[in-house]
Amino acid sequence: GCAMTITGRLRALLARPALRRTALFDAEWYLASYPDLCPPGKPPADPALHYLAHGATEGRDPGPLFSTSGYRLQGGPARGNPLLNHLSGAGGQALPVFAGTGGGAPPGAPVVLFFGHQAQGQQFGAERSLLTMLERAGRAGLAVELVLPHCQSGDYLNACRARAQAVHLLPYPWRRAGVPPHPATLAAMEALIRRSGAVEVHQNTVVLDAPLVAARAAGVTSVVHLRELPAEDEALCARLGLPAEALRQALLTQADRFVANSEAVARWLDPAGQMPPGRLAILPNVVDPGLSALPFAPADPPRVALISSNTAKKGIA
C-alpha cells in the first residue's frame, strides 16, 4: 500500500527539507511509534518521505508535538499535508484543545485527566466504555478532561466533548517491550498533567505506559481501567511484544490503582487475591438502555445476535 507515483515522489522530495527544518517532525519518534515501517530484515522507510507521501493521509503523526487528525478536526484542509499547511502560516494549533460542552462540575472541583488509547472511525468496546466512565466521573462531581492520541471521527470527538470540560489531542503510541516512552512524549504529558491541575490520571486500557510514567513523575495518582484478558489474547501480547505475565508485572509496578470490568479480569491481575484493600475495584460494563426498548418478538426457532467485532477472542469461536 506504499506505492508512490513519480509525481508524488517529486512532491515529497521537494517538501522534505521543510520537514527536516522543523522540530514538529521527529524522525526517530516516527519510526519508534510506527513499528510497521521497520519490518524485520528490511531497511526502515525514510520517515520524512513516508509521512509526506503516505503517513499524513493514513492519519499518522509526524512527532509528539503535532496532531495530524487534530489539525484537520480544527477545520484544516481535508486535502494536502496538514503539517506543511501549518508551517505555511495557515494557522491552527499543533496540539489542539477542544472545549468541552459537558462535565458541569462546580468551580474548584477536583480534575481527573483521562487518557484514551485510540479513536478510530469505528467505535469498539473500549471507546464506548470510555464515554461511560466520563459520564460517571461527571456525575460524581469531578472536573473531567480527556486526552486522545488521535481522533479520526468528528462524531466521536463531539461525543467526548459532551462529557468533558476539554479534549486534548496529544500523539502517543502504545507500549512496546524494550521501548521506553519517548522523552518528548513524557515531557508533553507531564506538562499537561501539571497544567490541568489533575489530582488523578485515569488510563483507559493496559496497552499504554506513557501516561503512567508521566503521572508518577508529576506526583499524581494513576488508575488503569482493565478490560482485556492478555493471557487469552495472543494477538494483543504479540503486538505489545510482552508475554501476559510480563505485562501484568509492568502494570503492578507502574500504576497505583486498578478498575477491572469483570471478576475474570480482576483474577488475571490479582490471581492470589492478595492486593491491599482499595487498590482494585470491579466495575462491570454497562449496556445502552436504548437496546431494551426493542420489541420482544421471539421467532421459532429463536434468533440470536452477537454484537461485537466478531473475532474468535470475542466469542465467535
Side-chain angles (χ1 to χ4, degrees):
C2 286
M4 194 185 309
T5 65
I6 294 177
T7 303
R9 182 171 180 83
L10 285 174
R11 287 176 179 162
L13 287 169
L14 289 171
R16 184 167 56 176
L19 254 63
R20 290 181 169 172
R21 287 193 298 267
T22 175
L24 295 179
F25 180 76
D26 188 322
E28 177 190 347
W29 183 94
Y30 192 77
L31 289 177
S33 298
Y34 302 113
D36 60 306
L37 302 181
C38 306
K42 292 186 177 181
D46 180 314
L49 280 179
H50 186 276
Y51 179 72
L52 289 166
H54 307 288
T57 303
E58 296 166 355
R60 302 183 196 239
D61 298 306
L65 301 178
F66 184 88
S67 172
T68 295
S69 59
Y71 191 80
R72 289 182 174 133
L73 287 168
Q74 292 174 92
R79 299 177 64 85
N81 187 285
L83 179 53
L84 293 179
N85 185 268
H86 177 69
L87 295 175
S88 72
Q93 294 175 289
L95 295 177
V97 181
F98 297 91
T101 58
V111 177
V112 176
L113 198 58
F114 284 76
F115 281 82
H117 74 302
Q118 67 180 20
Q120 305 293 352
Q122 187 172 0
Q123 296 177 31
F124 293 102
E127 293 94 317
R128 292 178 180 273
S129 177
L130 176 58
L131 298 179
T132 301
M133 294 303 293
L134 298 179
E135 293 170 2
R136 284 172 161 163
R139 287 198 300 268
L142 300 171
V144 177
E145 296 193 23
L146 173 62
V147 190
L148 294 173
H150 53 250
C151 188
Q152 311 297 347
S153 165
D155 289 341
Y156 188 70
L157 174 63
N158 289 335
C160 292
R161 293 175 68 188
R163 294 162 172 81
Q165 294 189 341
V167 179
H168 307 261
L169 269 290
L170 176 65
Y172 46 88
W174 289 15
R175 67 165 74 231
R176 283 178 63 216
V179 182
H182 195 280
T185 297
L186 291 178
M189 283 187 176
E190 185 179 348
L192 175 55
I193 292 169
R194 295 182 185 279
R195 194 165 62 246
S196 70
V199 299
E200 191 168 279
V201 164
H202 186 112
Q203 181 177 291
N204 190 47
T205 171
V206 303
V207 303
L208 304 176
D209 57 354
L212 305 178
V213 177
R216 185 150 294 175
V220 172
T221 298
S222 62
V223 181
V224 173
H225 192 160
L226 299 94
R227 50 177 57 79
E228 300 92 345
L229 279 172
E232 313 296 333
D233 195 339
E234 294 181 5
L236 176 66
C237 291
R239 180 168 179 180
L240 302 179
L242 283 168
E245 179 58 22
L247 176 58
R248 191 178 77 87
Q249 294 296 336
L251 290 166
L252 292 172
T253 301
Q254 293 169 337
D256 297 307
R257 301 207 317 273
F258 301 92
V259 176
N261 73 344
S262 70
E263 290 188 12
V265 171
R267 282 196 303 272
W268 172 78
L269 183 69
D270 184 23
Q274 296 178 339
M275 201 167 284
R279 196 179 183 198
L280 172 61
I282 297 176
L283 191 62
N285 292 338
V286 299
V287 175
D288 183 347
L291 292 176
S292 62
L294 295 172
F296 181 62
D300 186 14
R303 293 165 296 174
V304 178
L306 175 65
I307 304 173
S308 79
S309 55
N310 291 348
T311 58
K313 70 180 183 181
K314 297 293 187 180
I316 278 290

